Short mmCIF file of all heavy atoms in Angstrom, two decimals:
data_model
loop_
_atom_site.label_atom_id
_atom_site.label_comp_id
_atom_site.label_asym_id
_atom_site.label_seq_id
_atom_site.Cartn_x
_atom_site.Cartn_y
_atom_site.Cartn_z
N THR A 24 37.18 -82.23 10.28
CA THR A 24 36.55 -82.26 8.95
C THR A 24 37.50 -82.84 7.93
O THR A 24 38.71 -82.71 8.06
CB THR A 24 36.12 -80.83 8.52
OG1 THR A 24 37.25 -80.05 8.18
CG2 THR A 24 35.27 -80.12 9.56
N GLY A 25 36.99 -83.51 6.92
CA GLY A 25 37.83 -84.09 5.87
C GLY A 25 38.81 -85.05 6.42
O GLY A 25 40.02 -84.88 6.21
N SER A 26 38.31 -86.05 7.16
CA SER A 26 39.28 -86.89 7.90
C SER A 26 39.21 -88.39 7.49
O SER A 26 39.59 -89.21 8.29
CB SER A 26 39.07 -86.73 9.38
OG SER A 26 37.71 -86.81 9.74
N ASN A 27 38.77 -88.69 6.31
CA ASN A 27 38.87 -90.09 5.85
C ASN A 27 40.14 -90.33 5.09
O ASN A 27 40.26 -91.42 4.47
CB ASN A 27 37.56 -90.52 5.18
CG ASN A 27 37.39 -89.87 3.81
OD1 ASN A 27 38.10 -88.94 3.54
ND2 ASN A 27 36.40 -90.31 3.05
N SER A 28 41.06 -89.40 5.10
CA SER A 28 42.26 -89.48 4.30
C SER A 28 43.29 -88.48 4.78
O SER A 28 42.96 -87.55 5.56
CB SER A 28 41.83 -89.15 2.79
OG SER A 28 42.90 -88.68 2.04
N GLY A 29 44.55 -88.70 4.42
CA GLY A 29 45.61 -87.66 4.54
C GLY A 29 45.79 -87.09 5.92
O GLY A 29 45.81 -87.80 6.95
N ILE A 30 45.99 -85.76 5.99
CA ILE A 30 46.30 -85.08 7.21
C ILE A 30 45.15 -85.15 8.23
O ILE A 30 45.39 -85.44 9.46
CB ILE A 30 46.61 -83.58 6.92
CG1 ILE A 30 47.90 -83.44 6.15
CG2 ILE A 30 46.67 -82.82 8.26
CD1 ILE A 30 48.22 -82.07 5.62
N GLY A 31 43.92 -85.06 7.72
CA GLY A 31 42.77 -85.14 8.68
C GLY A 31 42.74 -86.49 9.36
O GLY A 31 42.50 -86.53 10.60
N LEU A 32 43.00 -87.57 8.65
CA LEU A 32 42.99 -88.88 9.29
C LEU A 32 44.21 -89.00 10.28
O LEU A 32 44.02 -89.54 11.33
CB LEU A 32 43.11 -90.00 8.20
CG LEU A 32 43.12 -91.38 8.67
CD1 LEU A 32 41.93 -91.75 9.60
CD2 LEU A 32 43.12 -92.40 7.46
N ASN A 48 34.87 -87.26 9.31
CA ASN A 48 34.00 -86.71 8.32
C ASN A 48 34.56 -86.69 6.91
O ASN A 48 35.74 -86.50 6.74
CB ASN A 48 33.61 -85.20 8.71
CG ASN A 48 33.26 -84.33 7.53
OD1 ASN A 48 34.10 -83.61 6.97
ND2 ASN A 48 32.03 -84.41 7.11
N SER A 49 33.69 -86.84 5.95
CA SER A 49 33.90 -86.44 4.54
C SER A 49 32.57 -86.34 3.91
O SER A 49 31.49 -86.49 4.56
CB SER A 49 34.83 -87.38 3.81
OG SER A 49 35.08 -86.82 2.50
N PHE A 50 32.57 -86.07 2.54
CA PHE A 50 31.26 -85.94 1.92
C PHE A 50 30.70 -87.27 1.43
O PHE A 50 29.51 -87.33 1.07
CB PHE A 50 31.39 -84.97 0.67
CG PHE A 50 32.40 -85.45 -0.33
CD1 PHE A 50 32.03 -86.20 -1.40
CD2 PHE A 50 33.72 -85.11 -0.12
CE1 PHE A 50 32.95 -86.70 -2.34
CE2 PHE A 50 34.69 -85.53 -1.13
CZ PHE A 50 34.34 -86.32 -2.16
N THR A 51 31.51 -88.34 1.45
CA THR A 51 31.02 -89.68 1.06
C THR A 51 30.33 -90.36 2.22
O THR A 51 30.53 -90.00 3.36
CB THR A 51 32.22 -90.51 0.53
OG1 THR A 51 33.22 -90.48 1.55
CG2 THR A 51 32.76 -89.95 -0.75
N TYR A 73 31.62 -91.78 12.22
CA TYR A 73 31.83 -91.16 10.92
C TYR A 73 30.54 -90.46 10.56
O TYR A 73 29.47 -91.11 10.58
CB TYR A 73 32.19 -92.19 9.84
CG TYR A 73 32.33 -91.52 8.48
CD1 TYR A 73 33.50 -90.99 8.10
CD2 TYR A 73 31.24 -91.45 7.62
CE1 TYR A 73 33.62 -90.33 6.87
CE2 TYR A 73 31.32 -90.79 6.38
CZ TYR A 73 32.53 -90.27 6.02
OH TYR A 73 32.61 -89.60 4.79
N ALA A 76 29.08 -85.36 5.64
CA ALA A 76 28.59 -83.93 5.50
C ALA A 76 29.51 -83.26 4.50
O ALA A 76 30.72 -83.46 4.55
CB ALA A 76 28.63 -83.22 6.81
N ASP A 77 28.87 -82.54 3.54
CA ASP A 77 29.61 -81.87 2.45
C ASP A 77 30.04 -80.51 2.90
O ASP A 77 29.29 -79.59 3.07
CB ASP A 77 28.71 -81.87 1.23
CG ASP A 77 29.49 -81.32 0.01
OD1 ASP A 77 30.57 -80.73 0.21
OD2 ASP A 77 28.94 -81.51 -1.11
N MET A 78 31.39 -80.33 3.09
CA MET A 78 31.89 -79.07 3.58
C MET A 78 31.86 -77.95 2.54
O MET A 78 32.28 -76.79 2.83
CB MET A 78 33.35 -79.28 4.06
CG MET A 78 33.52 -80.18 5.33
SD MET A 78 32.63 -79.59 6.77
CE MET A 78 31.15 -80.61 6.74
N SER A 79 31.34 -78.23 1.37
CA SER A 79 31.09 -77.18 0.40
C SER A 79 29.75 -76.48 0.63
O SER A 79 29.44 -75.49 0.00
CB SER A 79 31.16 -77.65 -1.02
OG SER A 79 30.10 -78.46 -1.39
N LYS A 80 28.99 -77.09 1.53
CA LYS A 80 27.61 -76.53 1.80
C LYS A 80 27.54 -76.08 3.31
O LYS A 80 27.72 -76.87 4.18
CB LYS A 80 26.59 -77.64 1.56
CG LYS A 80 26.64 -78.19 0.13
CD LYS A 80 25.46 -79.12 -0.14
CE LYS A 80 25.34 -79.42 -1.63
NZ LYS A 80 25.86 -80.75 -1.95
N ASN A 99 39.43 -77.85 11.58
CA ASN A 99 38.96 -77.53 10.25
C ASN A 99 40.05 -77.87 9.25
O ASN A 99 41.05 -77.15 9.09
CB ASN A 99 38.60 -76.02 10.11
CG ASN A 99 37.33 -75.71 10.92
OD1 ASN A 99 36.25 -76.33 10.71
ND2 ASN A 99 37.41 -74.77 11.83
N ASN A 100 39.90 -79.07 8.62
CA ASN A 100 40.96 -79.61 7.79
C ASN A 100 40.53 -79.83 6.35
O ASN A 100 41.41 -79.82 5.46
CB ASN A 100 41.40 -80.96 8.43
CG ASN A 100 42.29 -81.69 7.50
OD1 ASN A 100 43.49 -81.46 7.34
ND2 ASN A 100 41.68 -82.69 6.78
N ALA A 101 39.27 -79.99 6.10
CA ALA A 101 38.84 -80.40 4.70
C ALA A 101 39.36 -79.40 3.70
O ALA A 101 39.38 -78.15 3.99
CB ALA A 101 37.29 -80.37 4.61
N GLY A 102 39.89 -79.89 2.59
CA GLY A 102 40.51 -79.01 1.63
C GLY A 102 40.70 -79.66 0.33
O GLY A 102 40.85 -80.90 0.24
N ILE A 103 40.61 -78.91 -0.74
CA ILE A 103 40.90 -79.42 -2.09
C ILE A 103 41.87 -78.43 -2.77
O ILE A 103 42.11 -77.35 -2.26
CB ILE A 103 39.60 -79.55 -2.98
CG1 ILE A 103 38.90 -78.19 -3.08
CG2 ILE A 103 38.67 -80.61 -2.40
CD1 ILE A 103 37.80 -78.15 -4.16
N GLN A 104 42.47 -78.82 -3.94
CA GLN A 104 43.36 -78.02 -4.61
C GLN A 104 42.99 -78.02 -6.13
O GLN A 104 42.46 -79.01 -6.61
CB GLN A 104 44.80 -78.61 -4.36
CG GLN A 104 45.89 -77.99 -5.09
CD GLN A 104 46.13 -76.51 -4.74
OE1 GLN A 104 45.32 -75.63 -5.23
NE2 GLN A 104 47.15 -76.23 -3.99
N ILE A 123 35.04 -74.90 0.37
CA ILE A 123 35.59 -76.01 1.16
C ILE A 123 36.72 -75.57 2.04
O ILE A 123 36.80 -75.95 3.25
CB ILE A 123 35.95 -77.21 0.23
CG1 ILE A 123 34.74 -77.69 -0.49
CG2 ILE A 123 36.60 -78.31 1.05
CD1 ILE A 123 35.01 -78.67 -1.65
N ASN A 124 37.66 -74.86 1.51
CA ASN A 124 38.91 -74.55 2.25
C ASN A 124 38.75 -73.36 3.19
O ASN A 124 39.53 -73.15 4.08
CB ASN A 124 40.10 -74.23 1.24
CG ASN A 124 40.45 -75.39 0.40
OD1 ASN A 124 39.64 -76.33 0.20
ND2 ASN A 124 41.65 -75.35 -0.16
N ILE A 150 43.61 -76.07 9.73
CA ILE A 150 44.70 -76.54 8.95
C ILE A 150 44.86 -75.61 7.74
O ILE A 150 44.10 -75.72 6.78
CB ILE A 150 44.56 -78.03 8.49
CG1 ILE A 150 44.30 -78.95 9.76
CG2 ILE A 150 45.86 -78.47 7.76
CD1 ILE A 150 45.37 -78.95 10.81
N ALA A 151 45.74 -74.63 7.85
CA ALA A 151 45.95 -73.70 6.76
C ALA A 151 47.04 -74.28 5.86
O ALA A 151 46.92 -75.41 5.36
CB ALA A 151 46.33 -72.35 7.34
N SER A 152 48.15 -73.59 5.68
CA SER A 152 49.16 -74.05 4.76
C SER A 152 50.34 -73.05 4.72
O SER A 152 50.12 -71.85 5.11
CB SER A 152 48.61 -74.13 3.35
OG SER A 152 49.63 -74.35 2.36
N ALA A 153 51.51 -73.45 4.27
CA ALA A 153 52.54 -72.45 3.96
C ALA A 153 51.97 -71.44 3.01
O ALA A 153 52.34 -70.28 2.99
CB ALA A 153 53.78 -73.14 3.40
N HIS A 154 50.99 -71.91 2.21
CA HIS A 154 50.30 -71.01 1.26
C HIS A 154 49.34 -70.07 1.93
O HIS A 154 48.66 -69.27 1.29
CB HIS A 154 49.67 -71.82 0.12
CG HIS A 154 50.62 -72.24 -0.91
ND1 HIS A 154 50.88 -73.62 -1.15
CD2 HIS A 154 51.49 -71.56 -1.78
CE1 HIS A 154 51.86 -73.67 -2.06
NE2 HIS A 154 52.17 -72.49 -2.46
N TYR A 165 43.53 -71.31 -3.92
CA TYR A 165 44.07 -72.01 -2.74
C TYR A 165 44.76 -70.99 -1.87
O TYR A 165 44.58 -70.94 -0.62
CB TYR A 165 45.01 -73.10 -3.18
CG TYR A 165 45.49 -74.01 -2.07
CD1 TYR A 165 44.69 -75.15 -1.66
CD2 TYR A 165 46.72 -73.83 -1.43
CE1 TYR A 165 45.18 -76.02 -0.66
CE2 TYR A 165 47.14 -74.69 -0.44
CZ TYR A 165 46.35 -75.74 -0.07
OH TYR A 165 46.81 -76.61 0.89
N LYS A 169 43.66 -69.91 1.83
CA LYS A 169 44.53 -70.18 3.03
C LYS A 169 44.91 -68.84 3.71
O LYS A 169 44.99 -68.80 4.93
CB LYS A 169 45.75 -70.96 2.55
CG LYS A 169 45.39 -72.42 2.10
CD LYS A 169 44.76 -73.22 3.15
CE LYS A 169 44.54 -74.65 2.73
NZ LYS A 169 43.86 -75.48 3.75
N VAL A 193 47.54 -74.16 11.75
CA VAL A 193 48.71 -74.94 11.51
C VAL A 193 49.06 -74.76 9.98
O VAL A 193 48.18 -74.88 9.13
CB VAL A 193 48.57 -76.45 11.85
CG1 VAL A 193 49.76 -77.27 11.43
CG2 VAL A 193 48.27 -76.60 13.34
N CYS A 194 50.29 -74.45 9.74
CA CYS A 194 50.65 -74.20 8.32
C CYS A 194 51.70 -75.21 7.78
O CYS A 194 52.92 -75.03 7.90
CB CYS A 194 51.26 -72.76 8.20
SG CYS A 194 50.07 -71.51 8.55
N PRO A 195 51.15 -76.34 7.26
CA PRO A 195 52.13 -77.31 6.73
C PRO A 195 52.74 -76.90 5.45
O PRO A 195 52.14 -76.20 4.62
CB PRO A 195 51.25 -78.59 6.45
CG PRO A 195 49.87 -78.26 7.02
CD PRO A 195 49.75 -76.73 7.11
N GLY A 196 54.00 -77.38 5.24
CA GLY A 196 54.60 -77.35 3.90
C GLY A 196 54.06 -78.56 3.21
O GLY A 196 52.95 -78.95 3.41
N TYR A 197 54.91 -79.19 2.34
CA TYR A 197 54.39 -80.33 1.58
C TYR A 197 54.35 -81.60 2.44
O TYR A 197 55.33 -81.90 3.07
CB TYR A 197 55.27 -80.54 0.35
CG TYR A 197 54.80 -79.68 -0.85
CD1 TYR A 197 55.48 -78.54 -1.23
CD2 TYR A 197 53.62 -79.98 -1.51
CE1 TYR A 197 55.06 -77.74 -2.24
CE2 TYR A 197 53.16 -79.21 -2.59
CZ TYR A 197 53.89 -78.13 -2.93
OH TYR A 197 53.44 -77.28 -3.92
N VAL A 198 53.22 -82.26 2.42
CA VAL A 198 52.97 -83.56 3.07
C VAL A 198 52.52 -84.47 1.96
O VAL A 198 51.63 -84.10 1.17
CB VAL A 198 51.90 -83.41 4.17
CG1 VAL A 198 51.75 -84.71 4.99
CG2 VAL A 198 52.13 -82.18 5.04
N LEU A 199 53.13 -85.65 1.83
CA LEU A 199 52.75 -86.53 0.74
C LEU A 199 51.45 -87.24 0.99
O LEU A 199 51.43 -88.35 1.47
CB LEU A 199 53.91 -87.52 0.36
CG LEU A 199 53.78 -88.21 -0.99
CD1 LEU A 199 53.76 -87.22 -2.13
CD2 LEU A 199 55.01 -89.13 -1.15
N THR A 200 50.34 -86.55 0.66
CA THR A 200 48.99 -87.16 0.92
C THR A 200 48.33 -87.23 -0.49
O THR A 200 48.87 -86.70 -1.47
CB THR A 200 48.12 -86.15 1.78
OG1 THR A 200 48.02 -84.92 1.03
CG2 THR A 200 48.77 -85.91 3.14
N PRO A 201 47.14 -87.79 -0.58
CA PRO A 201 46.41 -87.87 -1.83
C PRO A 201 46.26 -86.51 -2.48
O PRO A 201 46.30 -86.40 -3.76
CB PRO A 201 45.09 -88.51 -1.51
CG PRO A 201 45.37 -89.34 -0.32
CD PRO A 201 46.41 -88.58 0.46
N LEU A 202 46.08 -85.46 -1.69
CA LEU A 202 45.93 -84.08 -2.31
C LEU A 202 47.17 -83.67 -3.09
O LEU A 202 47.08 -83.12 -4.19
CB LEU A 202 45.63 -83.09 -1.17
CG LEU A 202 45.45 -81.60 -1.56
CD1 LEU A 202 44.37 -80.95 -0.76
CD2 LEU A 202 46.75 -80.82 -1.36
N VAL A 203 48.32 -83.99 -2.54
CA VAL A 203 49.63 -83.59 -3.16
C VAL A 203 49.88 -84.54 -4.35
O VAL A 203 50.31 -84.05 -5.40
CB VAL A 203 50.77 -83.65 -2.14
CG1 VAL A 203 52.10 -83.59 -2.80
CG2 VAL A 203 50.59 -82.46 -1.16
N GLN A 206 48.27 -83.29 -7.38
CA GLN A 206 48.75 -82.12 -8.00
C GLN A 206 49.96 -82.39 -8.94
O GLN A 206 50.35 -81.58 -9.77
CB GLN A 206 49.34 -81.15 -6.98
CG GLN A 206 48.30 -80.44 -6.09
CD GLN A 206 49.09 -79.67 -5.03
OE1 GLN A 206 49.89 -78.77 -5.32
NE2 GLN A 206 48.78 -79.95 -3.79
N PHE A 235 59.42 -84.25 3.02
CA PHE A 235 58.01 -84.00 3.30
C PHE A 235 57.74 -84.03 4.81
O PHE A 235 58.42 -84.81 5.54
CB PHE A 235 57.14 -85.15 2.66
CG PHE A 235 57.04 -85.09 1.15
CD1 PHE A 235 57.68 -86.01 0.33
CD2 PHE A 235 56.30 -84.06 0.53
CE1 PHE A 235 57.54 -85.93 -1.04
CE2 PHE A 235 56.16 -83.99 -0.81
CZ PHE A 235 56.83 -84.91 -1.64
N VAL A 238 51.99 -86.90 8.32
CA VAL A 238 50.68 -86.66 8.95
C VAL A 238 50.82 -86.89 10.47
O VAL A 238 50.02 -86.25 11.18
CB VAL A 238 49.57 -87.56 8.32
CG1 VAL A 238 49.37 -87.25 6.85
CG2 VAL A 238 49.83 -89.04 8.56
N TRP A 267 60.44 -73.67 5.04
CA TRP A 267 59.95 -73.00 3.81
C TRP A 267 59.69 -71.52 4.06
O TRP A 267 60.25 -70.67 3.29
CB TRP A 267 58.64 -73.70 3.37
CG TRP A 267 57.94 -73.10 2.19
CD1 TRP A 267 58.00 -71.85 1.66
CD2 TRP A 267 56.91 -73.77 1.44
NE1 TRP A 267 57.12 -71.70 0.63
CE2 TRP A 267 56.42 -72.89 0.50
CE3 TRP A 267 56.30 -75.06 1.55
CZ2 TRP A 267 55.43 -73.22 -0.41
CZ3 TRP A 267 55.31 -75.34 0.58
CH2 TRP A 267 54.87 -74.43 -0.34
P1 NAD B 2 43.53 -85.16 1.20
O1 NAD B 2 42.96 -85.06 -0.19
O2 NAD B 2 44.25 -86.45 1.51
O3 NAD B 2 42.42 -84.98 2.24
C1 NAD B 2 41.39 -84.03 2.09
C2 NAD B 2 40.23 -84.42 2.90
O4 NAD B 2 39.17 -83.51 2.71
C3 NAD B 2 39.74 -85.81 2.45
O5 NAD B 2 39.30 -86.53 3.63
C4 NAD B 2 38.52 -85.46 1.61
O6 NAD B 2 37.56 -86.51 1.60
C5 NAD B 2 38.03 -84.22 2.35
N1 NAD B 2 37.11 -83.42 1.57
C6 NAD B 2 37.32 -82.91 0.31
N2 NAD B 2 36.20 -82.28 -0.10
C7 NAD B 2 35.34 -82.37 0.89
C8 NAD B 2 33.95 -81.91 1.10
N3 NAD B 2 33.35 -81.19 0.16
N4 NAD B 2 33.40 -82.16 2.26
C9 NAD B 2 33.99 -82.87 3.23
N5 NAD B 2 35.23 -83.35 3.13
C10 NAD B 2 35.92 -83.09 1.99
O7 NAD B 2 44.41 -83.89 1.39
P2 NAD B 2 45.38 -83.44 2.61
O8 NAD B 2 46.74 -83.18 1.98
O9 NAD B 2 45.32 -84.40 3.70
O10 NAD B 2 44.79 -82.07 2.97
C11 NAD B 2 44.21 -81.78 4.18
C12 NAD B 2 44.29 -80.29 4.50
O11 NAD B 2 45.67 -80.00 4.67
C13 NAD B 2 43.74 -79.37 3.41
O12 NAD B 2 43.07 -78.28 3.98
C14 NAD B 2 44.98 -78.95 2.73
O13 NAD B 2 44.85 -77.72 2.06
C15 NAD B 2 45.97 -78.88 3.86
N6 NAD B 2 47.36 -78.89 3.46
C16 NAD B 2 47.92 -80.02 2.86
C17 NAD B 2 49.25 -79.96 2.50
C18 NAD B 2 49.92 -81.13 1.86
O14 NAD B 2 51.06 -81.01 1.42
N7 NAD B 2 49.30 -82.29 1.77
C19 NAD B 2 50.05 -78.87 2.74
C20 NAD B 2 49.45 -77.73 3.35
C21 NAD B 2 48.13 -77.74 3.71
#
Side-chain angles (χ1 to χ4, degrees):
T24 71
S26 48
N27 66 352
S28 154
I30 293 172
L32 180 55
N48 153 263
S49 185
F50 59 93
T51 52
Y73 176 86
D77 185 344
M78 294 300 102
S79 71
K80 300 189 171 103
N99 289 306
N100 168 80
I103 59 167
Q104 174 64 284
I123 296 167
N124 297 21
I150 306 300
S152 169
H154 283 116
Y165 189 84
K169 294 300 186 181
V193 174
C194 294
Y197 276 104
V198 187
L199 196 55
T200 63
L202 178 140
V203 167
Q206 287 176 60
F235 285 111
V238 299
W267 175 343

